[in-house]
Amino acid sequence: MDVMSYLLGSLLFFNILLALTIVFLERKNATATWAWLMVLLFIPVVGFILYLIFGRKLSNKTIFTWDTKSRLGVKKVVQQQLRALEKGTFQIHQQSLLPYKDLFYLHLRNDDAIFTQDNDVEVFTDGEKKFHALLNDIEGAKDHIHLLYYIIRNDGLGERVSEALIRKVNEGVQVRLLFDDLGSRTLSRKFIKKLQKSGVEVESFFPPLIPKVNLKINHRNHRKLAIIDGKIGYIGGFNIGDEYLGFNKRFGYWRDTHLKITGGAVQQMQTRFILDWNQASQHAIVYEDRYYASEPSGEIGIQIVSSGPDSEWEQIKNGYIKMILGAKEHVFIQTPYFIPDDSLADALKIAVMSGVDVRIMIPNKPDHPFVYWATLSYIGELLKAGAKVYIYQNGFLHSKSIVVDRTIASVGTANIDVRSFRLNFEINAFLYDETLAARLVEEFKKDIILSSQLTLKLYQQRSLWVRFKESISRLISPIL
């Protein structure tokens, strides 16, 4: 009995100690703090283990580094653009973009997101078309191929990509492949070794020091990037796997948004890949001109913005809020998960109550049940404020896009949820072009035809059991 009392006392002591650490040392936001305190209170032993895996923040030290030459080059351009914006001498090709100079400034100042105006963009909403284009560009590569994906499957599509990469290595092209260790946890060693044996350089992001025991799995590299010869860049929501071609019976057709970019923005995508690669690999990439061979291709303005748990500010979320609060006519959002924090939720409510046409589209089926139920809870608040909500019925909606006033947009990897904004490593392209924004609006309207509208009346008719699941999921949403 004394031993049991000692163990219970020790457990209580460690729980109190951990709670104090969360409150006074970790400096989490209040919502996440309360969520973790409840977990520790109600499931003390399991909660302690869960906190070690999912609750610890990254070290404050810089985890992404690169050689001085390249970083100084970026800083120099950033400072030049900041000074030009401050003095009112910044040259903007499209006069309709003049009202968004403060958004340029926000991303420049907080993320070194250089503003380029010489880009062309092709939009993909279908996996077959996206990967057909990507594989064609891989086949045409002459110098190097850099791929970063959260999920890579060793299935039919994975094999097609693998075979294409091996062919290019045999032709003398340098190929690097980076994947997230958790997202690609089902990727077989055989698949990886085949690539490595053929000459493809392969690395995983945040691999465990001890097999199957990874205390960093809460911080996932959710980015999807492909850079071909430093001239062509792909960014968006599609991972590499057969389900993204619509071959998974559970999800059906996979509706996503992905971009093919040519022009100066590819340089910023390349920089992001190199930073991530150098964190993961012992064979660091050093600056070479061949990695920055992009050429002017159009007149679309782009900023490539990254965010992650290593950042002081939530850059992508702040960009969303700035866009929403500046909206005069409409805000169209597509997201598979909708778990905004108070700041983003308030921005949307203020917009809709100010007469802005706010429309949000979410999928009709969950791939993560708790996240989906939490989404329904937050959607209810927007419905009450007057937003229009659509449930996509033609398969699974995985698109992460926001369009404002048919002038500016953002497409990338960040969902509208706390995990994407605070815990994952994400990347988005902020797009400044009326024609491109109008194209994204048209895609949204096409999807409305394939959706059902969730009205406030229908929402209020949901069952008591659904309301209970929503309440529980919302309670733990800050740590999902």
Side-chain angles (χ1 to χ4, degrees), residues 60-316:
N60 288 327
K61 69 179 181 179
T62 301
I63 66 171
F64 297 106
T65 59
W66 200 17
D67 63 281
T68 305
K69 178 179 178 181
S70 60
R71 295 305 295 157
L72 284 179
V74 171
K75 288 290 187 182
K76 182 179 179 181
V77 176
V78 167
Q79 290 303 316
Q80 288 173 345
Q81 292 194 347
L82 284 173
R83 285 194 295 269
L85 285 167
E86 291 167 353
K87 294 178 180 179
T89 59
F90 192 85
Q91 298 297 313
I92 298 176
H93 297 166
Q94 298 184 42
Q95 293 304 301
S96 61
L97 300 180
L98 285 172
Y100 302 104
K101 289 194 291 185
D102 49 355
L103 182 58
F104 309 159
Y105 191 94
L106 172 72
H107 291 317
L108 274 165
R109 183 177 182 273
N110 297 306
D111 193 49
D112 292 341
I114 295 171
F115 180 64
T116 58
Q117 303 182 77
D118 61 350
N119 304 285
D120 190 33
V121 176
E122 185 175 358
V123 179
F124 297 99
T125 60
D126 175 80
E128 283 283 3
K129 293 179 180 178
K130 181 261 178 173
F131 283 103
H132 177 75
L134 176 60
L135 287 167
N136 277 346
D137 287 327
I138 287 175
E139 292 293 347
K142 304 298 182 184
D143 184 78
H144 67 273
I145 299 167
H146 290 162
L147 301 183
L148 162 58
Y149 281 89
Y150 175 61
I151 294 174
I152 300 177
R153 309 275 192 211
N154 49 297
D155 54 16
L157 179 58
E159 286 296 331
R160 284 167 60 191
V161 173
S162 171
E163 290 168 3
L165 296 180
I166 292 172
R167 283 196 299 272
K168 298 312 294 185
V169 168
N170 292 335
E171 294 174 13
V173 174
Q174 187 173 35
V175 179
R176 295 183 175 98
L177 176 64
L178 176 62
F179 61 87
D180 183 80
D181 190 79
L182 176 71
S184 302
R185 60 191 176 277
T186 61
L187 195 60
S188 69
R189 292 300 306 169
K190 181 180 179 182
F191 182 93
I192 296 170
K193 287 183 177 179
K194 178 182 176 181
L195 286 167
Q196 291 174 328
K197 187 176 180 181
S198 301
V200 178
E201 299 177 57
V202 183
E203 298 287 354
S204 64
F205 192 87
F206 279 176
L209 296 176
I210 303 172
K212 306 300 181 182
V213 181
N214 193 339
L215 297 182
K216 292 183 179 179
I217 63 172
N218 203 35
H219 302 296
R220 307 161 191 175
N221 195 323
H222 196 239
R223 295 166 182 151
K224 296 98 179 171
L225 287 173
I227 298 97
I228 314 296
D229 290 342
K231 298 178 180 180
I232 300 170
Y234 286 80
I235 183 173
F238 284 110
N239 288 293
I240 297 176
D242 283 349
E243 68 257 47
Y244 305 101
L245 303 179
F247 295 158
N248 186 304
K249 292 182 180 179
R250 176 187 171 193
F251 296 114
Y253 181 75
W254 192 277
R255 168 64 174 89
D256 220 319
T257 305
H258 218 93
L259 308 177
K260 175 182 175 180
I261 298 174
T262 53
V266 178
Q267 294 191 13
Q268 316 314 315
M269 298 165 69
Q270 184 79 284
T271 297
R272 181 70 266 168
F273 175 86
I274 293 174
L275 287 167
D276 286 20
W277 177 270
N278 287 358
Q279 190 285 326
S281 176
Q282 295 181 352
H283 304 287
I285 300 173
V286 297
Y287 181 89
E288 292 184 49
D289 289 340
R290 65 190 178 98
Y291 295 131
Y292 291 86
S294 66
E295 300 172 350
S297 183
E299 297 184 349
I300 296 174
I302 297 178
Q303 285 179 295
I304 302 297
V305 180
S306 302
S307 65
D310 60 315
S311 306
E312 182 177 0
W313 307 106
E314 297 168 19
Q315 290 97 328
I316 293 176

Side-chain angles (χ1 to χ4, degrees), residues 324 331 333 335 338-354 356-362 374-390 416 453-457 459-460 474:
I324 292 164
V331 176
I333 294 174
T335 178
F338 185 77
I339 308 177
D341 65 3
D342 289 342
S343 61
L344 184 55
D346 286 345
L348 286 167
K349 292 173 191 174
I350 290 169
V352 72
M353 290 188 289
S354 300
V356 175
D357 181 9
V358 175
R359 305 186 188 192
I360 302 168
M361 188 176 293
I362 58 174
T375 289
L376 291 177
S377 172
Y378 285 97
I379 281 295
E381 292 185 7
L382 269 297
L383 284 169
K384 292 174 183 176
K388 299 182 180 72
V389 176
Y390 300 93
I416 306 287
Q453 185 170 358
L454 177 62
T455 64
L456 181 59
K457 182 178 180 180
Y459 179 77
Q460 291 173 336
R474 181 166 180 141

Side-chain angles (χ1 to χ4, degrees), residues 434-460:
E434 289 180 310
T435 301
L436 181 58
R439 162 73 194 282
L440 292 170
V441 168
E442 290 308 308
E443 293 296 338
F444 190 98
K445 290 182 175 179
K446 289 178 185 177
D447 291 330
I448 288 179
I449 299 172
L450 301 171
S451 303
S452 60
Q453 185 170 358
L454 177 62
T455 64
L456 181 59
K457 182 178 180 180
L458 288 172
Y459 179 77
Q460 291 173 336

